[in-house]
Amino acid sequence: MLITTAQKALETVKSGDKIFIHSVSAVPHHLVNALVARADSLKGIEIYHLHTEGDAPYTNPEYAEVFHTNAFFIAKNTRKAIAEGRGSYIPVFLSEIPKLFTQNIIKLNIALISVSTPDKSGFCSLGTSVDATLAAIDSADVVIAQINKFVPRTLGDAQIHTSRINYFVPFDEPLHEVSWGEPTDEHKKIGSHVASLVEDGATLQMGIGSIPNAVLAALNNHKDLGIHTEMFSDGIIPLVEKGIITGKYKKRNRGKIVSTFLCGSRKLYDFVDDNPLVTMMRVDYVNDTSIIRQNPKVTAINSAIEIDITGQVCADSIGYNMYSGVGGQMDFIRGAALSEGGKPIIALNATSKGLSKIVSHLKEGAGVVTTRANVHYVVTEFGIAYLFGKNLVERAKELIKIAHPDHQEALAKSAYERFKHHSSVEF
């Protein structure tokens, strides 16, 4: 281990290197800025990352010949660069990203990470993101860590010894914070509908954003809920404080909140700091379907960009334009379906900018993240559609019922044209 400056540590980077950047709110921005400062002396650098928060200066047009970003999940900070060809999207299940590194399918030269200050035994914490970062650390030739007092000391797989790090760069900066604001009336209605599906003793997985937060806010009368999720945010804190989240009935990591990354406010980061209730684990464990299914009543709550009237879910693109990624949706949708009493749920607003998100057919170029065979429940502000075991005509009827009323007639006409050869079809 060598304690040095970012400038000195980043001298190890050479043209053509493959570099991993720590995920979500754990991005080591001081190291990233030092890397970009070396742009004049580098070319052909391939950067790999999951969802990242905050500035991503390596995606700026002036660095197009120096850095090419490869996203396993696209966030706002890289979307434009990928659309304009300065970056690429790699479709992959979140649970399978680690093997890309450990099996040298992608051979990493450098891993840029952020860690908490070491304890007296020489252990640091990866803080808010373990995900595939642990695999990147194990696989990269050189690991450069930004020691940051603002990184919370989380437990589980997040604990790594200083001997696994080549360069330490002390630099304190607050972690990126995210807030989704107050839920809209539509989100509250969706949250209420989803909450009606959640049983006492269930194990929850929820994605990121306003709808999951609205669901959590509607769970105040539930009992003994557990958490096994790829990510969580501030919304779980009140439920922990009220004794609603206990993990009492979980079969794996009983009593623990299990996640692989988290993102939210400073309050969230303080909540998880040295908190034995929270166990941060590697993503190939958290998102392993065979692990997920062992917990009872797994209720997986995910969203979509659009869903067609047969139940095909597009969650990664708007037509040909990549927007986000496959992520862990299929990992948990399948895991929930296989769990005893489990419920896989797709929750979405009925419309976006006046356009229906329940559609007769997906846009040209749209990606199917979750197949129609995997979809059980679909929820909008207008109700709940249950698709499991239903034929295509029955599915269309269920989905049209929960579409926005302004779009139901057009959807019904389209469905009739599609299925009119079936006997006694009425919409």
Side-chain angles (χ1 to χ4, degrees):
M1 181 187 75
L2 177 65
I3 298 176
T4 185
T5 64
Q7 290 72 25
K8 286 288 186 182
L10 270 297
E11 287 178 1
T12 59
V13 176
K14 60 185 184 300
S15 294
D17 275 352
K18 291 180 168 60
I19 300 175
F20 177 84
I21 294 176
H22 205 162
S23 318
V24 199
S25 58
V27 175
H29 289 285
H30 181 59
L31 299 183
V32 169
N33 291 334
L35 172 65
V36 173
R38 284 206 56 207
D40 289 345
S41 63
L42 298 170
K43 63 179 180 179
I45 299 290
E46 296 287 339
I47 291 176
Y48 293 87
H49 58 81
L50 287 77
H51 176 121
T52 57
E53 290 287 345
D55 293 335
Y58 47 86
T59 65
N60 292 349
E62 61 266 32
Y63 303 125
E65 301 301 316
V66 182
F67 304 112
H68 185 89
T69 188
N70 297 274
F72 300 112
F73 195 92
I74 304 166
K76 181 179 179 180
N77 59 0
T78 57
R79 198 168 288 136
K80 188 172 188 288
I82 289 171
E84 294 176 355
R86 298 189 302 280
S88 301
Y89 165 64
I90 300 174
V92 61
F93 292 133
L94 191 55
S95 58
E96 293 190 318
I97 298 173
K99 72 171 63 172
L100 295 177
F101 303 144
T102 58
Q103 295 180 9
N104 283 334
I105 295 167
I106 296 171
K107 179 64 184 80
L108 295 175
N109 304 107
I110 308 283
L112 303 181
I113 65 172
S114 60
V115 297
S116 69
T117 51
D119 65 16
K120 63 182 180 180
S121 300
F123 281 89
C124 301
S125 175
L126 294 173
T128 57
S129 286
V130 175
D131 47 67
T133 300
L134 197 60
I137 292 168
D138 289 339
S139 306
D141 298 327
V142 176
V143 179
I144 303 172
Q146 178 179 331
I147 308 176
N148 184 357
K149 71 178 184 181
F150 291 100
V151 172
R153 180 175 293 280
T154 56
L155 308 177
D157 290 336
Q159 297 282 304
I160 63 168
H161 196 265
T162 53
S163 60
R164 298 170 71 179
I165 297 169
N166 301 100
Y167 297 95
F168 267 114
V169 177
F171 190 88
D172 297 327
E173 57 185 346
L175 302 190
H176 189 88
E177 297 183 43
V178 175
S179 173
W180 290 274
E182 288 297 312
T184 64
D185 288 341
E186 288 79 11
H187 290 155
K188 289 177 181 178
K189 289 175 183 176
I190 294 169
S192 179
H193 291 317
V194 173
S196 73
L197 295 172
V198 177
E199 299 179 38
D200 290 342
T203 303
L204 301 182
Q205 175 265 334
M206 49 275 173
I208 194 169
S210 299
I211 290 177
N213 282 347
V215 173
L216 291 167
L219 295 174
N220 285 308
N221 294 319
H222 284 68
K223 297 178 181 177
D224 293 318
L225 299 178
I227 302 291
H228 183 106
T229 182
E230 68 189 36
M231 71 81 59
F232 66 88
S233 192
D234 293 65
I236 73 159
I237 299 176
L239 298 181
V240 173
E241 293 172 342
K242 294 174 184 175
I244 293 168
I245 291 175
T246 65
K248 179 179 179 180
Y249 294 106
K250 290 177 66 181
K251 298 291 177 64
R252 298 296 297 243
N253 308 101
R254 181 168 296 177
K256 302 289 187 181
I257 294 170
V258 172
S259 186
T260 195
F261 70 91
L262 54 93
C263 185
S265 72
R266 185 71 232 176
K267 181 179 180 180
L268 177 70
Y269 306 148
D270 290 341
F271 170 77
V272 301
D273 184 43
D274 204 26
N275 187 345
L277 180 65
V278 179
T279 301
M280 300 294 290
M281 305 293 284
R282 67 187 194 274
V283 72
D284 45 345
Y285 172 86
V286 174
N287 284 47
D288 184 336
T289 300
S290 69
I291 300 295
I292 296 166
R293 69 180 298 182
Q294 293 178 41
N295 284 314
K297 302 177 183 176
V298 173
T299 305
I301 305 156
N302 289 272
S303 196
I305 291 173
E306 60 179 358
I307 179 169
D308 77 10
I309 56 174
T310 71
Q312 294 188 111
V313 174
C314 173
D316 63 352
S317 66
I318 301 173
Y320 288 107
N321 297 317
M322 296 309 306
Y323 186 82
S324 53
V326 171
Q329 181 170 122
M330 267 301 301
D331 296 329
F332 275 95
I333 289 290
R334 191 64 186 144
L338 295 172
S339 162
E340 184 176 352
K343 295 176 181 177
I345 300 168
I346 299 294
L348 70 164
N349 285 73
T351 60
S352 176
K353 299 179 180 178
L355 300 176
S356 181
K357 296 183 74 170
I358 296 174
V359 295
S360 59
H361 57 275
L362 300 180
K363 292 181 179 65
E364 183 177 340
V368 176
V369 168
T370 299
T371 73
R372 56 172 73 98
N374 292 109
V375 177
H376 289 207
Y377 293 90
V378 180
V379 178
T380 72
E381 64 267 38
F382 297 101
I384 302 168
Y386 185 58
L387 307 187
F388 189 56
K390 290 182 167 59
N391 63 37
L392 296 183
V393 173
E394 293 167 335
R395 284 164 167 257
K397 290 179 179 179
E398 282 286 296
L399 288 166
I400 290 169
K401 287 178 185 176
I402 64 166
H404 192 287
D406 290 350
H407 297 280
Q408 288 182 0
E409 183 178 353
L411 287 170
K413 286 181 179 178
S414 179
Y416 177 79
E417 287 302 312
R418 179 171 182 171
F419 299 117
K420 62 185 178 183
H421 59 284
H422 289 256
S423 60
S424 304
V425 171
E426 291 183 7
F427 287 94

